[in-house]
Amino acid sequence: MSYTLEIQKLLLKNEKLSHSEDKIAQLKQAIQIADVNKDLDWGYELRLNLISEETNLPYLIDSFPAFAWMLDALESHPERFDEEGCLWLYKWTATAAYSYADTLYEEVEKIFSDMKERVLKNGFSLRGYYSPLIYWEILQGKVENAVHYLELQKKEKRDLISDDEDYELDTQVEMALLRQDFDEAILLSNNFSHKSGNGFFPFATHSYMTYYLHKGKDNRAEEYFKKSITGLTNLDKSIKCVVDCVSCLINYAAHYQTKTAWELFEQYAELEVKSMDSMSFTFSKNVLPLLNQEGKIELNLSHKLPYYREDNLYDIKDLYSHYYNKAKELAQRFDQRNRTDNFKQLLQKEIDITL
């Protein structure tokens, strides 16, 4: 059987799969076949598909080596491959890179420099480039820098590698929330198109609004909590940022709707285990208010969790210690990498509120 036929059969089988993890496994088989047969064209296209598929997940395992291979192919055979096709994925790779605490600061900066050069070389505006850069500044606690890049982004023309309007609107709302301009955030949030392909927006935005309005002692948090719960109902729980958003809802519900908070914890705690470090930190930090109590509780949790118990009976203080220690360890690693104390401050604020 021709190896190209083997690849095509795997791709046809892939079309019938519904879970990204299963699709990625098939694509890796196809990539191996292409590489063994030294077929660069198939190798490039299959890796493009693999990265696109992994963008749906809350973790990054195979995209880094796949993208490095693609960049090397572009450098070695510039006449053979279309560089424009991978620029959209460069944004995802950059975001994922700084979302892992072990990625060196210099490596992150190098990624942004290379991405900017390639974007301009191919005749695109910097609108898409600014999207991951804004969140890189937020991750470091440099909100003023993020605001600066957001204003620059608005001046750039929209093109094929720009994020869609709902994604950009979500960023604008988050910036308003970080500045505690809640009226502006609410005004902006009314402009969603509700056309997000996977239903992620405006659910994600409403979740962040619930969290920040609550922290700002704004009673309107309850309204957005209800909207978020409604939006969560039909959402694919494996979408990459769902675990981030749900932790915001758990944080709020821990104070007002404990039963709902525990239900969300049961359903989504498993996703944190394989999430990128930044999401794992946020989840671990945000569940602390729920876990800051005495006693035992019966929970139906996944066996994939490191603290899983067959009897389903958990000491709540043990759960608190697990997530506090995880958040503290990640905060130290991120702050050391970022050369700031932003993560330490975020964790301390949560502890101060919890106590």
Side-chain angles (χ1 to χ4, degrees):
M1 182 190 300
S2 166
Y3 75 88
T4 58
L5 185 57
E6 289 183 60
I7 291 174
Q8 289 167 349
K9 286 181 68 175
L10 285 169
L11 292 179
L12 285 172
K13 189 184 295 185
N14 230 22
E15 292 178 2
K16 300 176 182 178
L17 300 174
S18 56
H19 298 295
S20 291
E21 289 182 335
D22 296 331
K23 291 183 178 182
I24 289 170
Q26 294 275 33
L27 286 167
K28 287 170 68 175
Q29 288 184 45
I31 288 171
Q32 186 175 20
I33 294 171
D35 289 352
V36 167
N37 289 277
K38 299 180 181 180
D39 192 318
L40 293 178
D41 296 299
W42 268 117
Y44 191 91
E45 182 177 343
L46 291 167
R47 284 175 171 86
L48 195 66
N49 292 341
L50 183 148
I51 299 170
S52 297
E53 198 62 52
E54 201 168 46
T55 60
N56 297 320
L57 298 174
Y59 59 84
L60 185 85
I61 296 176
D62 299 297
S63 292
F64 277 139
F67 198 71
W69 187 97
M70 290 173 65
L71 290 179
D72 183 65
L74 284 168
E75 294 296 330
S76 303
H77 307 278
E79 77 292 340
R80 193 166 179 174
F81 299 108
D82 178 17
E83 188 173 38
E84 292 183 10
C86 76
L87 290 178
W88 173 270
L89 298 177
Y90 216 148
K91 296 184 299 178
W92 158 243
T93 306
T95 301
Y98 61 63
S99 295
Y100 283 98
D102 290 338
T103 307
L104 298 176
Y105 188 93
E106 293 77 12
E107 185 63 28
V108 175
E109 293 292 304
K110 181 180 178 182
I111 288 171
F112 275 113
S113 177
D114 184 63
M115 177 169 56
K116 183 177 183 180
E117 181 180 334
R118 292 177 188 273
V119 166
L120 293 175
K121 182 178 69 174
N122 284 276
F124 291 102
S125 79
L126 292 176
R127 192 178 187 102
Y129 161 80
Y130 283 128
S131 289
L133 184 60
I134 289 167
Y135 282 100
W136 169 228
E137 297 296 338
I138 292 174
L139 196 76
Q140 299 173 78
K142 300 176 181 177
V143 177
E144 290 185 4
N145 288 0
V147 171
H148 171 69
Y149 289 125
L150 179 61
E151 293 306 313
L152 290 179
Q153 182 185 54
K154 291 176 183 177
K155 297 176 183 177
E156 295 284 334
K157 69 178 181 179
R158 185 177 297 280
D159 53 33
L160 292 175
I161 63 168
S162 301
D163 286 307
D164 63 38
E165 294 181 12
D166 280 353
Y167 184 94
E168 290 186 355
L169 181 57
D170 174 74
T171 302
Q172 293 173 39
V173 174
E174 285 191 60
M175 294 304 303
L177 292 170
L178 287 170
R179 299 194 308 270
Q180 293 194 314
D181 190 346
F182 298 146
D183 290 338
E184 175 68 10
I186 290 171
L187 187 65
L188 287 167
S189 71
N190 292 328
N191 295 323
F192 278 101
S193 69
H194 299 267
K195 294 180 181 178
S196 175
N198 54 22
F200 190 59
F201 298 114
F203 158 75
T205 313
H206 290 161
S207 300
Y208 298 136
M209 291 175 72
T210 300
Y211 178 85
Y212 284 103
L213 288 170
H214 168 59
K215 297 303 182 188
K217 303 185 186 305
D218 191 311
N219 293 332
R220 290 174 290 184
E222 182 180 2
E223 173 188 348
Y224 290 96
F225 175 75
K226 291 178 179 177
K227 288 183 177 181
S228 299
I229 293 298
T230 299
L232 182 61
T233 304
N234 297 316
L235 200 65
D236 182 353
K237 67 184 296 184
S238 69
I239 296 174
K240 62 182 177 183
C241 291
V242 166
V243 65
D244 224 28
C245 302
V246 168
S247 75
C248 291
L249 302 180
I250 293 173
N251 189 278
Y252 173 83
H255 298 277
Y256 305 104
Q257 298 186 36
T258 308
K259 183 175 181 291
T260 300
W262 281 116
E263 289 172 352
L264 291 171
F265 181 82
E266 275 188 309
Q267 294 174 47
Y268 290 91
E270 175 188 348
L271 291 185
E272 177 273 324
V273 176
K274 295 177 70 175
S275 293
M276 290 184 281
D277 290 341
S278 59
M279 295 181 190
S280 182
F281 169 81
T282 299
F283 184 91
S284 299
K285 169 183 70 71
N286 283 351
V287 299
L288 294 180
L290 176 64
L291 307 177
N292 189 37
Q293 54 182 294
E294 303 287 344
K296 294 182 180 292
I297 187 169
E298 186 174 348
L299 296 170
N300 184 24
L301 296 173
S302 168
H303 69 278
K304 296 179 182 179
L305 289 162
Y307 52 79
Y308 170 74
R309 292 179 59 90
E310 290 186 359
D311 62 5
N312 292 338
L313 194 61
Y314 296 87
D315 187 306
I316 302 176
K317 278 298 183 183
D318 288 344
L319 296 178
Y320 182 94
S321 295
H322 171 81
Y323 286 106
Y324 169 74
N325 289 332
K326 189 159 196 176
K328 182 180 179 181
E329 184 258 339
L330 285 169
Q332 291 172 340
R333 289 166 58 197
F334 270 115
D335 285 342
Q336 183 176 10
R337 193 276 304 277
N338 297 342
R339 305 162 188 175
T340 66
D341 63 351
N342 182 50
F343 278 74
K344 178 183 176 182
Q345 289 186 34
L346 291 173
L347 177 57
Q348 190 60 50
K349 286 178 182 177
E350 198 59 64
I351 294 171
D352 290 343
I353 293 171
T354 303
L355 294 176

